Amino acid sequence: MSVDLLLKYGTVIVEGKEYQRAVAIKTGKIEGIYKFGQEPEAETVISCKNKFVLPGAIDIHVHLRGMNQSDKEDYISGTRAAAAGGVTTVVDMPNSNPPVLDWESLETKIQNARAVRYVNVGFYAGIPREVSDFDVDMAKNILGLKVYPHSPLTEGITYDDKRIKECLTLASDLGLPLLVHPDTSKPEAKSDSIEGFFNIHSCQSEIDSVAKFIEALQGLDNEARLHICHVSCAASARLITKNRAEERLTAEVTPHHLLLTGADFSNEDGTAKMLPPLRSPYDNEALRTLLSKCGIDIVATDHAPHTSGEKLSPFLQANSGIPGLETMVPLMVTEVFEGRLTWVEYLRVCSSGPARILGLVGKGVLSKGYDADIAVVAKEEWSIMGSEFQSKAKITPFEGRKVLAKPEITIVGGEIVYNQGKFVVGAGNVGTVPVRSLIQLRNT
Ligand code: DOR
Ligand code: ZN
Ligand code: ZN
């Protein structure tokens, strides 16, 4: 037997331990993992000596922008950023311009992304003012429904118990999770001071929002699923942990909320302005602990690109959001190399956990029969430099940070996309768009 591609001499994680193994790939799938001397013949052989062969990261919280915001990011730059960062699947948020509230905008995104993709791309949709106006025909092409209780996606809607339950029920009827940006601040609340910004988007606001959504979830007897985005505060993370219900209530944390604190930046500095804001070392510590204890399921970047001009403005005018696709794998694998995260935890929070939450059967695990979506990562010290990003967003709060892991080769569906700084396929040739869940569609 001969396979298409053999990744030889690399280090593979098996039951949490490092082993030298060969990974064989055939027709886009992992054909097998072999001990030295037992590997099959292959058309192409790549030596991964001294490198880690890992499942590609799956980032379920990405703003790819495009359309009217292509100056911030487009599907080429965003998916190239993913590939360069060792991320093989991204899931795009609906707060684009135009927003994804109807089939037309979703279809535009799908067509645009399909034409120029470098990785797998899935999508979320928002929920219109009248929940009953949601076009259920969109369901099979999306992976979840996203709501922003405080924000522009659907302006002026109050997320009271009734609205939250309607949204949870709609998602549940479609077999999809409801994702929430937890923040109770009023959309019209504008801060005219830096303190005002932090007061509006306080931990209390996050906790109150998480509490309201959990209460609504628990008041439903259907199979509604709720996913809490970018948990940033110790108390909200604890509230989630206390109410955890496997599959029904899940949560994510970003690398920046795990690794940075507000005190690392001057209050005038828009570089690290994001929603939710950076919190305290106490919150960092709690988030880390609860991530390890499965109180928080996964890591997701909230890759939210803006132009340099928009980020370098004075704090109040600067846009919220930072790029994350090219820093997640380096930062999180560094956590492993420095002993603060185990390999088992890394694989769960960056690959298998995200796949489980969105029902991406066949993804997120480096094992026989799974999709050959792979990140080959070298153990190498380097410093993060925004100017080198593939993303159009070059301003990162991790600028200059030393990391110990460098994504070197990225494989999507068995095809090498990126190899040591170079893209070796053209745009639009590899990856699936849209990525679909295989465990949805009850009522469609
Ligand atoms: O900082 C943020 N930026 N938080 C969000 O929730 C939205 C995002 C964006 O789209 O820019
Ligand atoms: Zn958000
Ligand atoms: Zn976001």
Side-chain angles (χ1 to χ4, degrees), residues 54-57 86 328-329 332-333 336 341-352 377:
L54 304 170
M328 170 164 79
V329 170
M332 297 310 294
V333 174
V336 177
L341 199 69
T342 66
W343 273 123
V344 169
E345 287 166 346
Y346 171 83
L347 295 173
R348 170 171 63 79
V349 303
C350 288
S351 293
S352 65
V377 175

Side-chain angles (χ1 to χ4, degrees), residues 71-89:
D71 55 333
K72 295 174 191 274
E73 192 82 291
D74 58 28
Y75 302 104
I76 302 189
S77 58
T79 59
R80 281 168 78 100
V87 177
T88 48
T89 299

